[in-house]
Structures are given as C-alpha cells and as structure tokens.
Amino acid sequence: MAKPTFDTPELKPYQEVPDIPHIEPGAMAHSRPFMAKPEHNESIGYPGELVDNWQEAGVKRLGELVEGSKALRVFLDTCVKCGACTDKCHYFLGTADPKNMPVARQDLLRSVYRRYYTFAGKYFPKLVGAKDFDKEVLDDWYNYFHQCSQCRRCSVFCPYGIDTAEISMAAREVMDSIGVGQKYCNEILGKVHVVGNNLGLPEPALKDTLEGLEEDVEEDTGIPIRFPLDEKGADILLITPSADFFAEPHIDGLIGYAKVFHQAGASWTLSSYASEAANFSMFIGSGANLKKTAQRIRDAAEELGVKRIIVGECGHAWRVAYSFWNTLVGPFDFLDPKYPAPMHIVEYTYDLIQRGVLKLDKEANDHRRITFHDSCNVARASRMGNMPGGQFILPREVLKACANNFYDMPPDTIHEKTFCCGGGGGLLTDDLMELRVKGAMPRMQALKQVVDEYEVNTLVAICAICKTQFAKTLPYYEYPMSMITSLHEVVGDAIQLGSND
Amino acid sequence: MTLSVVYAIFFYAATLFLLVGLARKIAIYARTPAPLKIPTTPAPITKAGVVWRMTKEVTVFRSLFFSNKWIWLFGWMFHVALALVLARHLRYFTEPVWGWVTLIQPFGKYAAFAMIAGLAGLWARRFLVDRVRYITNLSDHLILALLMAIALSGLSIKYLSHTDIVDIKAYVMGLMYFDLQPLPADGFVLLHFSLVIALMIVFPISKLLHAPGLFFSPTRVQVDNPREVRHTAGWTAE
Ligand code: HEM
Ligand code: SF4
Ligand code: SF4
C-alpha cells in the first residue's frame, strides 16, 4: 500500500457540543475517485465516454429526473439556506471543506437546476446563485457527489427533511447518463449482472468456499453445520452480501447465521444465481439497474420454491430489501404470508431468542466489551420489528442476550443520529482513502469515548460496508483492526451448540 | 385617486400571481410521483402517526429544535410572530371583526417586535457564522431585507405617521368588494403596501415555497409500511 499523503485527524476527548471546524474552501477539491472504463459504463447501460452534447444531454436528464421525483422537486425548491444541516455531515466535520456541508453539496446541483428550470435562475442567475452546466461544474459534481455516502444524517436534522442522498443519487445518474461513471460502483454492478455477486465469485468457487467452511466449522465445533447452496424446496432463502463468503470479519457472521439456522432446525439455502444482497444501483441512482438487480433475487426465490427470504447483515442492502423490493419486484405473494417479506436476520434471531429456541451462554463473550455501530441505511432508511425504531432495539437486545458487557456510544452519535462509518454510498474504494479516513473521524471520536470510559474492545456492526471500512480505518486511529466484529459472530459464539440435539 | 387606482391594479395583479403561482406549484408537487418509499426513519407506521409528526414539525419546528438551538430560537420566534401579525391583519379584511381576531390584538402589537428580533437574529447568522455565510446568496439577504422592511414600515405607520387606520381599512375593504376607496397618501403606507406587493410576487417563485413544500416532502410525510403495503408510482408503476 502506498504511504498516505494526508494526516489522520487527531481524536479529541468526546464533548457533548462538538467542535465545528472553520470552513477551509477547497480542502478536498483534489479528492476524486477513479473513473469507470467505457466497458464498465456500457455493461450497465450507459454511454462509455463523455458524449459530445453532454451539457445539453445532462441538463435534459436532470429535468427528467426532477419531473419523475417528488423528492427532488420539493427538495430543490424548499431549502431556505437556514444552515441547520451545515455541521451534520461527517465528511464536513472530518475535512472542513465547505462543499461537504449538505446544503452546499445540494447547491452544486441546485444551481444548475435553477439556471435551466426556474424563472429566477434563467433571468437573474447571479441573484440566486444559478450556474451554467460547464466543465468546471461537472468536475465539482464528480468530486463532491463522490464525497457523500448517502447516509441521510442531514435529512434527520433538516426542518423539511431534505435528503442530500437523493440529490447525490440524481447527480450520479445524470453523470452516468452522459458517460461519466465511477469505476468502483459501475464495475461491481457489471459483475452482479453477469455473475450474480459483487465479487464476481462464480458458482463452482462459491460451492468450494461453502464446503470448505462446513469442514472448518465441524473441525472447530465438532458439529456438522451445513451451508446449503441451491437446495430446491428449502424453507428459507438467505440473501447476504458476498463479502460474507470471503473475508474477516464478515465470514464469522455467516458462520453465526448458519449456527442460528442449525440450532433452530431450519431448512435454508443460499442461491448461486442471487448470491449478493448488495445493490449498488441505489448509490448511482439508477432505477433500471436497481430493478434488474433486485429481480435476480425474486427469480431465485421462485425458482428454489422457498417460503421466506431472509437478508444477512448489510446496511444499504437492507434498505433496498425492506423499502424497495416490494415496490420493484413485488408482490411476494408466493411466499408464506405469516412472515414479513423480506425479514432481516436480526429479526429472525431476535424472534428465536424471544421464544427461547436458542440456548445462549453469555459468558462465552465475557472477553468482549461491546459497543454497537448503527449503520446509516438500517437506522435512517428502514426498520426492524413492528414498531418505529425497532432497528435500534432489536440488534441491541440480541447483543445483550448474547453478552454481558454492552455499552452504547454517546446519544448524539447513535440511533437516527448515528455517524456514518465513512465508507458508504459507493465510496469504499482505495482511491478515496483520505476521504474515508477523515470521514470516519466523528465515529472514531465517539468510539474513543467508550474505549476510554468502559474499555470497550469490540465494535459490532451489521453492514458489510461498515465492517470493511472499519477494518481498514481503525488502524489509522491506532485501534486494532480486530475490534470490528459481525453481530452474528457474537451470537454464534454464545450459542450452545448441540444443546437441543 | 390615481394612486388608489395604481395600487389597486398592482394589488389585484399580485394577488392573482400569488394565487395562481401557488396553486400551480402545489399542483406540481402533488402530481409529481414518488416512485420509492423513502421516509427518514424512524418514521410513523400509520397515517395518523404522520399527521402527528407533521403537526410537530409545523407548530414547534421539532427537527430544527434538535438540530440547532439558535436557528430554532430566532426562526420560531419570527414565524410565530409572523403568524400573529398576519392574524392581526385580518381586522382589515373583516367587518364586523371576528371575535378571536379582536382577542389577539394586544399580543399582535408586540409580535411585530418579536418578528424583527427573530429576523435580525437570522440575518446576523448570515454574517457571523462562516458556514452560513458560505451558503448565503444575494437572494437570501434580499428576502430577509424585504420582510424586515415590511415589519419596519408597518410599525412606522403605527408609531410615526399616525395615519387613520379607519381609512386604510376602508381602502382594503374597497379592494375586496370592488368598490374603490381613496388610499391615504402617506409615505409609510405606500411603502408598506409596495413591499407587500413585492412579497406576494416573490413568494411563489422563491424559497418561500418551503411553506407548501414541507407538506409534500416524502422523507417526512410517507408512512413507513413498505413491507405491508405495496407502493408504486411513476417509473415503478410502469
Ligand atoms: C407552513 C408555514 C411555514 C412553516 C412550517 C415554516 C417553517 C420554516 C422553517 C422551519 C424555517 C427554517 C428556520 C428559519 O430560518 O426560521 C423557515 C425559514 C424561513 N421562513 Fe418559513 N415557514 C412557514 C411559512 C413562512 C411564510 C409565510 C414566510 C414569509 C412570508 C416565511 C418566511 C421564511 C423565511 C424568510 C425563512 C428564512 C430565514 C432565513 O433567511 O434565515 N415562512 N421557515
Ligand atoms: S437544513 Fe434543510 S433547509 Fe436548512 S440549509 Fe440545510 S437543507 Fe436547507
Ligand atoms: S447524506 Fe450523509 S454524507 Fe451525504 S451530505 Fe448528508 S450527511 Fe453528508
């Protein structure tokens, strides 16, 4: 790895009213992810390179998007520039670049929208800050709409709920539509369409991996725990991020799910055709790709004849599954109506614990002093259970049922006010390392508080992106990479295997 | 009498512009589809819950309160005062004056000062806080200036010019019933009226659209029930 050419922010003692940096214009103007190659763009239905009439085409696409989205319409009109959101974005707090203030990020797009689509912007551009869609603006768009993890924290604090994530999705769609794509997202999406998962892991490799896992786990526990693939007639289809098949700490979460299913005596399967929960189409605001990617999962469920679909630990994937699947590829009337479709693995485990199906030994986790990171898309864009805020309660209840030492981070940094890990929204790529490290600062600061006060040594998350991001950024802040742990690893370690046999 | 006619024409034109402009915008907001469910969660899981959420947003600016206490303080003071002042103005449009309008007259008198204080606080932030200064456009200053000038000219009619408000009311009622009365030719009255006409024109083409816009913001008004009820609209309904 190349040496970092930036300084990791210094962590200050946690304070209730945080220090807000003074703005430093241009501080992150150099941050820019690699651009997609023509074949990446074309594989997901976009022009390969910047089209000749890009200004005209981009403005036109923007108009179409606004016409088709109540959110964009309202958000572009109603912002009063009150400034309430300006200190709420982790990227602003970590970089001090004013264009990372949510309202300023919106204004990059709003100024173009105004110029071409509003009376004031057409005739008095200076007055309302309207701007032509020129090369300079396009560059700013590319740089700063790839400094938004679409975490929605700004939306919580805005008096009108203006969600900058919606704006940056639209901006990325406009850019894609004129041939300006981001390599990381577009390359990955291409793989999903062809192979079925982000990693590009084909069926034989996946089969090998799962068989190897079965052997390892049996060696470890002495119990034959299965990792079934493509088993027709299984009750449950598990859709999980492909990172779970592959790397620490994700894979320990997958082992945890398998132990839960084993203990519950459930009949379940993975699918090689739909071996990916992630759906990066959301990050690039592409409706067509969003639907196409989700359709694989419905097709797999029908093909395998399952009765329910359960989704593994992944933040944006849970948003897409919970909030969008029914709309995009529903209705799921072929599934068993007794269960919510889809269901989150945490909902499933929580329910088993409530019913006393899982025998848990909390002491098995006594070496862990745990805190929980609410992932943005779970916290602010979805739900678990049957009451608002269940997405905060269920994972904590599961953790407390599995471990004795649990400590929450400060209240302004959890639940719906949670700080993004710094790597969401399609930014989890090495070419954005500086942004990722600086954007992680507010979360690291909150973590420091519980490390200092309660000697917390375990940071639990339920999102593949969060896990990867923390594994990479914790060391920058001088915490061990091993702190980041899958929720279902904690569950798996507490399960008294064989106790039901 | 020419003044009366000129102002009458402007008032009618501005009223038409305001009403048609607002109706058009509201129709557009209502018509534009929301293809996906995007409430900012935790969100209410019933319609009644959403009504309660919005009631808190509109009456006490709940989100803003948890977001920034200074903006909340000045912003809320300004809006409540504005509402009181507007309600107080109803006495110019009703004969006999409605009971509740008479009741609030004493509060309304102080509201103008609260409104000015609130506006001053919001305006000061645009100079003093570097983040807010960065996001401020000329139009943001002008709208504050306009509202401030309306409030100040209004107060001047009351405290400096001693124009008989009976004459003003006669003129306004005359406008309403298309029975034109002479307009008191006082500088402050003319200024106040001109500024209000300007506000009516600016309203439907500026950020003042936040007032109707709030009620259409999908992140706030959508019910969180995507698993229970299949939602489709726009491209997801095709
Ligand atoms: C449904 C009614 C309304 C609601 C819920 C509402 C709410 C809000 C909120 C939450 C803010 C942000 C905080 C602040 O800066 O005060 C705001 C700003 C503002 N509102 Fe309203 N408002 C309403 C109607 C109006 C009306 C009728 C006007 C004027 C004619 C108005 C003028 C303004 C102005 C000028 C600002 C920006 C203040 C600044 O520049 O900092 N509002 N409004
Ligand atoms: S909080 Fe909302 S209205 Fe205020 S500046 Fe930010 S986006 Fe605009
Ligand atoms: S969505 Fe998150 S990352 Fe994007 S501007 Fe808002 S707070 Fe920042």
Side-chain angles (χ1 to χ4, degrees):
Chain A
M1 197 177 81
K3 271 222 160 104
T5 52
F6 58 90
D7 296 325
T8 303
E10 191 191 334
L11 294 185
K12 311 218 177 80
Y14 181 81
Q15 41 194 72
E16 197 144 339
V17 181
D19 280 333
I20 301 164
H22 283 291
I23 60 172
E24 292 170 28
M28 287 298 277
H30 57 278
S31 177
R32 185 179 170 82
F34 294 150
M35 289 183 54
K37 297 204 183 90
E39 66 261 32
H40 300 144
N41 291 339
E42 281 158 8
S43 71
I44 57 171
Y46 293 113
E49 292 177 323
L50 189 65
V51 298
D52 288 338
N53 63 337
W54 62 270
Q55 278 167 300
E56 195 189 322
V59 167
K60 177 160 166 276
R61 184 75 190 120
L62 176 60
E64 289 165 3
L65 290 177
V66 174
E67 218 152 88
S69 163
K70 198 187 297 264
L72 290 177
R73 264 239 135 90
V74 171
F75 296 167
L76 289 172
D77 275 1
T78 51
C79 172
V80 293
K81 310 292 166 79
C82 69
C85 59
T86 52
D87 57 349
K88 302 302 186 287
C89 178
H90 51 288
Y91 291 122
F92 173 69
L93 294 173
T95 68
D97 190 317
K99 286 184 180 154
N100 280 329
M101 301 188 297
V103 45
R105 197 187 312 285
Q106 295 160 26
D107 275 353
L108 295 175
L109 186 139
R110 188 178 282 116
S111 55
V112 173
Y113 171 74
R114 285 204 167 144
R115 183 73 181 102
Y116 297 94
Y117 292 103
T118 68
F119 173 82
K122 272 181 203 157
Y123 301 103
F124 310 98
K126 288 256 162 49
L127 185 70
V128 294
K131 281 203 187 120
D132 287 334
F133 190 44
D134 58 19
K135 193 71 182 66
E136 202 181 318
V137 168
L138 179 61
D139 279 343
D140 254 6
W141 276 33
Y142 191 77
N143 294 3
Y144 288 99
F145 286 118
H146 290 109
Q147 297 189 40
C148 170
S149 59
Q150 307 177 342
C151 77
R152 313 188 96 200
R153 191 168 195 266
C154 44
S155 158
V156 169
F157 291 97
C158 170
Y160 320 114
I162 295 177
D163 181 6
T164 314
E166 290 293 316
I167 311 265
S168 74
M169 289 169 193
R172 292 186 196 178
E173 163 67 16
V174 169
M175 288 189 283
D176 272 323
S177 76
I178 57 173
V180 179
Q182 182 224 24
K183 177 169 183 277
Y184 175 68
C185 282
N186 292 8
E187 186 175 15
I188 278 182
L189 258 174
K191 282 190 212 157
V192 177
H193 289 335
V194 179
V195 188
N197 58 57
N198 286 4
L199 297 177
L201 204 64
E203 193 265 348
L206 182 57
K207 196 154 176 263
D208 264 7
T209 306
L210 295 174
E211 279 169 6
L213 213 49
E214 275 180 8
E215 284 164 25
D216 292 350
V217 174
E218 180 156 9
E219 216 166 274
D220 246 26
T221 63
I223 292 176
I225 292 176
R226 302 205 49 224
F227 289 82
L229 182 66
D230 293 332
E231 284 193 2
K232 278 202 176 177
D235 286 342
I236 297 170
L237 170 62
L238 176 72
I239 299 290
T240 204
S242 57
D244 284 359
F245 303 129
F246 175 67
E248 301 275 346
H250 313 258
I251 202 156
D252 302 305
L254 177 65
I255 296 172
Y257 316 150
K259 287 180 179 173
V260 169
F261 287 133
H262 175 87
Q263 197 75 342
S267 125
W268 69 288
T269 187
L270 289 155
S271 156
S272 61
Y273 177 71
S275 45
E276 181 61 72
N279 191 336
F280 280 21
S281 325
M282 183 177 89
F283 299 153
I284 61 168
S286 166
N289 281 293
L290 193 65
K291 186 168 170 141
K292 187 171 165 194
T293 309
Q295 186 66 41
R296 288 184 84 93
I297 290 158
R298 187 195 162 104
D299 292 348
E302 278 189 296
E303 164 76 18
L304 292 166
V306 297
K307 300 199 182 93
R308 32 198 311 209
I309 305 178
I310 293 184
V311 178
E313 298 181 5
C314 186
H316 85 283
W318 179 238
R319 178 181 193 187
V320 174
Y322 171 88
S323 295
F324 304 159
W325 275 2
N326 197 9
T327 296
L328 294 169
V329 296
F332 288 98
D333 40 16
F334 62 96
L335 297 176
D336 186 339
K338 278 209 304 284
Y339 306 101
M343 199 169 181
H344 195 282
I345 185 74
V346 167
E347 295 182 303
Y348 180 74
T349 300
Y350 174 79
D351 176 61
L352 293 176
I353 294 173
Q354 294 301 298
R355 294 196 280 118
V357 177
L358 299 185
K359 296 275 181 309
L360 300 166
D361 171 21
K362 290 192 194 190
E363 267 88 67
N365 278 309
D366 273 356
H367 60 293
R368 294 193 163 112
R369 301 177 71 79
I370 300 175
T371 194
F372 180 69
H373 166 74
D374 290 285
S375 298
C376 319
N377 276 300
V378 176
R380 291 186 280 258
S382 75
R383 172 164 57 101
M384 289 180 197
N386 51 17
M387 70 290 214
Q391 67 270 35
F392 312 133
I393 299 164
L394 267 58
R396 285 176 174 77
E397 286 306 309
V398 169
L399 282 171
K400 286 178 191 164
C402 296
N404 284 311
N405 313 311
F406 179 82
Y407 309 92
D408 254 324
M409 286 179 275
D412 272 357
T413 72
I414 58 170
H415 293 190
E416 71 267 33
K417 297 180 188 162
T418 187
F419 277 113
C420 172
C421 63
L427 310 182
L428 191 73
T429 169
D430 284 350
D431 36 321
L432 292 175
M433 214 51 225
E434 176 180 1
L435 178 76
R436 287 168 56 189
V437 169
K438 291 182 172 172
M441 188 275 281
R443 173 43 81 220
M444 290 296 127
Q445 194 129 316
L447 177 67
K448 179 175 160 57
Q449 198 267 342
V450 281
V451 170
D452 292 351
E453 193 164 342
Y454 305 111
E455 294 167 41
V456 160
N457 60 13
T458 304
L459 174 63
V460 167
I462 48 171
C463 170
I465 288 176
C466 298
K467 292 175 200 171
T468 308
Q469 158 75 354
F470 285 134
K472 195 92 183 224
T473 49
L474 278 165
Y476 281 87
Y477 290 93
E478 282 156 29
Y479 291 119
M481 186 200 269
S482 59
M483 270 182 104
I484 177 67
T485 305
S486 294
L487 185 140
H488 272 80
E489 178 177 356
V490 178
V491 176
D493 287 353
I495 286 187
Q496 297 279 80
L497 283 170
S499 61
N500 288 14
D501 298 344
Chain B
M1 204 59 189
T2 35
L3 256 190
S4 312
V5 175
V6 169
Y7 270 83
I9 291 170
F10 274 113
F11 261 120
Y12 287 134
T15 306
L16 197 69
F17 189 81
L18 174 70
L19 293 181
V20 173
L22 264 185
R24 181 178 156 269
K25 269 292 178 186
I26 289 172
I28 290 175
Y29 293 153
R31 211 177 48 224
T32 306
L36 294 167
K37 277 278 190 165
I38 58 165
T40 307
T41 59
I45 56 178
T46 60
K47 277 224 172 78
V50 168
V51 171
W52 176 231
R53 180 185 204 173
M54 293 309 291
T55 306
K56 286 185 288 187
E57 291 297 344
V58 173
T59 55
V60 296
F61 297 3
R62 182 186 177 279
S63 297
L64 187 60
F65 181 79
F66 290 109
S67 183
N68 187 309
K69 296 289 189 285
W70 285 113
I71 307 179
W72 180 85
L73 179 72
F74 294 129
W76 194 72
M77 185 155 80
F78 156 64
H79 283 85
V80 170
L82 175 69
L84 271 172
V85 168
L86 285 177
R88 196 171 123 94
H89 276 66
L90 283 176
R91 71 191 156 137
Y92 295 108
F93 299 89
T94 51
E95 187 59 54
V97 175
W98 299 336
W100 67 268
V101 177
T102 317
L103 259 173
I104 59 160
Q105 292 304 317
F107 308 102
K109 246 170 43 189
Y110 304 106
F113 295 100
M115 190 172 141
I116 288 168
L119 283 170
L122 291 171
W123 210 349
R125 286 183 58 79
R126 298 209 177 274
F127 293 100
L128 300 178
V129 181
D130 63 352
R131 286 169 287 126
V132 185
R133 199 185 318 133
Y134 183 89
I135 58 168
T136 299
N137 284 314
L138 188 55
S139 56
D140 301 309
H141 287 299
L142 288 183
I143 286 183
L144 288 171
L146 179 60
L147 287 163
M148 191 72 120
I150 292 177
L152 289 174
S153 58
L155 281 177
S156 306
I157 298 174
K158 186 169 169 59
Y159 292 104
L160 299 180
S161 83
H162 301 294
T163 310
D164 195 342
I165 62 157
V166 175
D167 295 341
I168 299 181
K169 177 160 184 173
Y171 181 73
V172 175
M173 295 295 289
L175 284 178
M176 283 177 62
Y177 295 101
F178 303 101
D179 170 22
L180 206 54
Q181 302 295 315
L183 175 63
D186 172 79
F188 290 122
V189 174
L190 299 185
L191 183 61
H192 193 62
F193 278 20
S194 308
L195 294 169
V196 169
I197 288 167
L199 180 67
M200 290 162 82
I201 292 167
V202 167
F203 202 97
I205 53 167
S206 70
K207 67 177 187 179
L208 296 178
L209 285 168
H210 67 282
L214 172 60
F215 298 92
F216 295 93
S217 174
T219 52
R220 288 284 185 268
V221 304
Q222 282 186 343
V223 180
D224 175 25
N225 60 357
R227 286 191 294 193
E228 293 79 4
V229 181
R230 181 156 188 251
H231 167 92
T232 60
W235 65 264
T236 58
E238 278 160 17

